[in-house]
Amino acid sequence: RECTPHRSVSREIATTQMFLSALAPAAASLFTPAATRDAPKATNVVRGGAHFSGGRHAASFAPRRSRRGAVKVAAAKGSDSDSSSNPKRPDPTFQGAPMSPDSGHGQMLAHVLDAEPQLFEAAVEATLDRMIDELDQQEQSAGSVDVSQDEQDKGGMVLFRRIEQMRALERRSGVQDVMYANILQKFLSIGVDMLPPLDDEDVLLRGVDLTKLTSGVHSVEALEMVKEHLMGMLGPQASNAYSNTLVRMSKLQCAQMYAASIMFGYFLRKADKRFKLDRAMGTLPMNPMDSAKALEELFNSASAMDSMDEADGAGVGGFANSEFPGASGVFDVDEKGNATEDASKAGSNTLTLRQYIQSFDQDALAETARIVSMEGVTLAERQTGALFGSIEDLAMEMQRALEEGGEPITSPDQLMSRVQDVVGGGKVKTLTLPVATQRRVVLEAVAFGTFLRDAETYVDTRDGRLLTPVSRGPEPPGLIGSGA
């Protein structure tokens, strides 16, 4: 009887220990981190705890965790099966152009231009507005920086500036893609695709209507200068050759020709716009014939200024002719003293675009030929590189081939002879193009430069802060003798 209480207590302790050992896994699972509880092992433990304990909280938590884990596993399996069966789609590219977008904005515009071309203009405006808003927010955040605090925290200031530089680079890439998408859209509007990358030595392309690259792009005044540029690039032999005549030239020469034509098209568009503005405002200078005639009249009137009587007898008409030469004729004075244009002399002061450009001084020529934004310079270089490869590498290849000749080059004729020998011997990369393709290369480059100026002007009118100004006028990249 004395041992009975001891035995009963021992049985109660043993029962309690068994109950606690069964309850311990469930209690431990409730304090396990979320990542561990979502794992399959944790779920099995919870199920065991709920089974042994029969507790309300354990039983209610177990199904939720098991369903969550099942959903995660099923999603993972589904993603694996999708990735194995459906490969990753390639990023959108500019269809009909040798370049690819470098930013998310460019990929979006490439997709819109390919799938929904009617929404392209709205997409461009929305993209530029988004960039302008980001620029405004960036300027506000930069203006609200506490300078005194940043002086103590040098590392934070350096990080802040680095982030701003990365954002500026991303924005510049986006602006370049917007400009390039505008250029491509203009080519598509005239029904001409850009040239593909000219990687093969023998290039045979489908013919296009070259009038779309001339009259469809340039004004009537500019067409004559485009024709002269084409003759200067290809030489007089190309004008008399058949369209299917094959011409072999180095890749560097072809790249230089393309780059120079881009610069010419850019310059021509700026000069043409300025010419039309001066003509609309009546501030065009006189052509050389009218200038000589005005000087002659001025000298004749000066000889008549010996006496006041002779000056008065000359009449107001002679004074008006020499002092106020009109843009479209010579002015006389009617009976009421109003200036009238002499119909017989009207139209004698018509100035052509060529004569207008010839009246530029050196500073005006340099300013007109200068690409005003770094985005424009980069696009011209990237377009040329996408077609012909790295111009720097081609220039180095040509330089090494010319130096292998042994004798130093002392004259331009010797340089041309050495280049012909190098190209004919296959010591450098060459291209064999029909004459018709050569004409297309030049005319497309001129059109690209023209559209580049239009795209640059469009972005500048939206917000000039989006463009990065150029300090000095760049030279066409990769020209022999330019140091490139």
Side-chain angles (χ1 to χ4, degrees):
R1 291 180 182 178
E2 294 178 359
C3 296
T4 301
H6 177 72
R7 291 178 179 178
S8 61
V9 172
S10 300
R11 284 196 299 269
E12 290 179 359
I13 293 175
T15 303
T16 304
Q17 290 177 351
M18 292 176 60
F19 179 76
L20 291 175
S21 63
L23 187 62
S29 65
L30 294 177
F31 297 93
T32 307
T36 307
R37 283 184 290 166
D38 290 338
K41 291 183 179 181
T43 305
N44 294 333
V45 173
V46 172
R47 287 177 181 175
H51 173 73
F52 286 109
S53 65
R56 181 181 63 181
H57 295 289
S60 61
F61 278 99
R64 292 183 183 179
R65 285 191 294 271
S66 63
R67 286 196 299 268
R68 188 184 304 163
V71 170
K72 289 183 178 180
V73 172
K77 291 182 179 179
S79 62
D80 294 339
S81 60
D82 292 341
S83 61
S84 60
S85 60
N86 297 328
K88 183 181 178 181
R89 295 182 179 179
D91 295 332
T93 59
F94 292 119
Q95 299 295 328
M99 284 174 49
S100 298
D102 285 346
S103 64
H105 296 300
Q107 294 178 0
M108 184 271 294
L109 292 177
H111 173 74
V112 172
L113 190 59
D114 184 36
E116 301 289 342
Q118 69 277 6
L119 303 177
F120 176 74
E121 295 182 1
V124 170
E125 293 180 358
T127 301
L128 292 179
D129 291 340
R130 192 179 303 112
M131 291 181 182
I132 294 172
D133 293 340
E134 294 175 356
L135 190 59
D136 293 336
Q137 295 177 1
Q138 180 180 347
E139 291 181 351
Q140 292 178 0
S141 61
S144 61
V145 175
D146 189 359
V147 180
S148 60
Q149 183 178 0
D150 291 335
E151 290 179 354
Q152 300 176 359
D153 188 6
K154 299 296 183 181
M157 191 62 183
V158 171
L159 180 60
F160 176 77
R161 291 177 178 176
R162 181 58 179 169
I163 293 175
E164 295 300 321
Q165 291 176 359
M166 295 300 296
R167 289 178 178 175
L169 291 177
E170 292 178 359
R171 183 168 55 251
R172 182 180 298 181
S173 298
V175 173
Q176 291 176 13
D177 287 341
V178 170
M179 294 172 59
Y180 193 77
N182 273 279
I183 295 173
L184 176 58
Q185 192 271 340
K186 290 182 178 294
F187 272 100
L188 296 178
S189 64
I190 62 176
V192 177
D193 290 336
M194 292 188 190
L195 289 168
L198 303 178
D199 298 329
D200 300 331
E201 182 176 354
D202 297 330
V203 179
L204 295 177
L205 301 175
R206 184 183 63 181
V208 298
D209 187 5
L210 296 182
T211 57
K212 296 179 179 180
L213 292 173
T214 53
S215 59
V217 177
H218 308 284
S219 63
V220 178
E221 294 84 358
L223 284 178
E224 186 65 26
M225 297 194 65
V226 173
K227 181 180 178 181
E228 294 177 359
H229 174 77
L230 179 64
M231 297 294 295
M233 287 287 104
L234 302 183
Q237 297 82 5
S239 61
N240 300 324
Y242 292 103
S243 299
N244 56 357
T245 303
L246 298 178
V247 178
R248 187 180 184 185
M249 61 190 309
S250 68
K251 241 184 177 183
L252 177 61
Q253 290 174 315
C254 197
Q256 290 174 342
M257 181 175 64
Y258 193 90
S261 298
I262 289 179
M263 298 294 294
F264 173 77
Y266 186 92
F267 164 79
L268 186 62
R269 178 66 91 187
K270 290 183 69 175
D272 194 15
K273 291 291 185 180
R274 180 174 172 178
F275 173 72
K276 291 179 179 179
L277 179 62
D278 284 341
R279 184 173 59 183
M281 297 180 63
T283 56
L284 281 176
M286 292 186 296
N287 57 35
M289 295 296 296
D290 286 342
S291 298
K293 188 175 181 179
L295 288 175
E296 183 180 358
E297 292 179 356
L298 180 61
F299 293 150
N300 293 335
S301 62
S303 62
M305 289 293 182
D306 295 337
S307 63
M308 185 63 66
D309 297 336
E310 294 178 355
D312 295 335
V316 186
F319 177 78
N321 291 341
S322 60
E323 187 71 16
F324 303 101
S328 59
V330 181
F331 288 95
D332 289 330
V333 178
D334 57 8
E335 296 178 354
K336 297 181 180 181
N338 298 323
T340 59
E341 186 177 3
D342 189 356
S344 62
K345 299 179 182 179
S348 62
N349 196 24
T350 56
L351 191 71
T352 63
L353 180 60
R354 162 186 278 279
Q355 294 173 342
Y356 177 74
I357 294 176
Q358 289 176 348
S359 66
F360 289 177
D361 56 8
Q362 186 175 1
D363 294 337
L365 280 174
E367 180 65 23
T368 308
R370 182 176 65 91
I371 298 181
V372 300
S373 69
M374 283 299 302
E375 288 78 10
V377 175
T378 304
L379 282 180
E381 294 178 353
R382 288 179 57 193
Q383 175 72 8
T384 307
L387 289 175
F388 305 99
S390 175
I391 300 181
E392 289 76 10
D393 295 342
L394 295 175
M396 292 297 297
E397 181 187 41
M398 176 65 73
Q399 183 177 357
R400 288 192 299 266
L402 293 176
E403 291 176 353
E404 291 176 357
E407 298 179 359
I409 300 175
T410 58
S411 64
D413 295 337
Q414 187 178 2
L415 173 62
M416 294 303 299
S417 177
R418 186 74 61 82
V419 169
Q420 293 178 358
D421 295 339
V422 168
V423 173
K427 297 181 181 180
V428 294
K429 296 180 181 179
T430 60
L431 288 174
T432 303
L433 304 174
V435 173
T437 303
Q438 282 189 329
R439 294 173 183 169
R440 178 183 174 183
V441 169
V442 175
L443 293 177
E444 179 186 307
V446 175
F448 185 91
T450 301
F451 294 151
L452 175 61
R453 176 55 186 168
D454 293 341
E456 192 178 59
T457 304
Y458 174 74
V459 175
D460 188 34
T461 54
R462 300 289 296 183
D463 197 324
R465 298 175 300 170
L466 295 175
L467 297 176
T468 307
V470 179
S471 58
R472 64 182 184 88
E475 298 178 353
L479 290 178
I480 295 178
S482 63

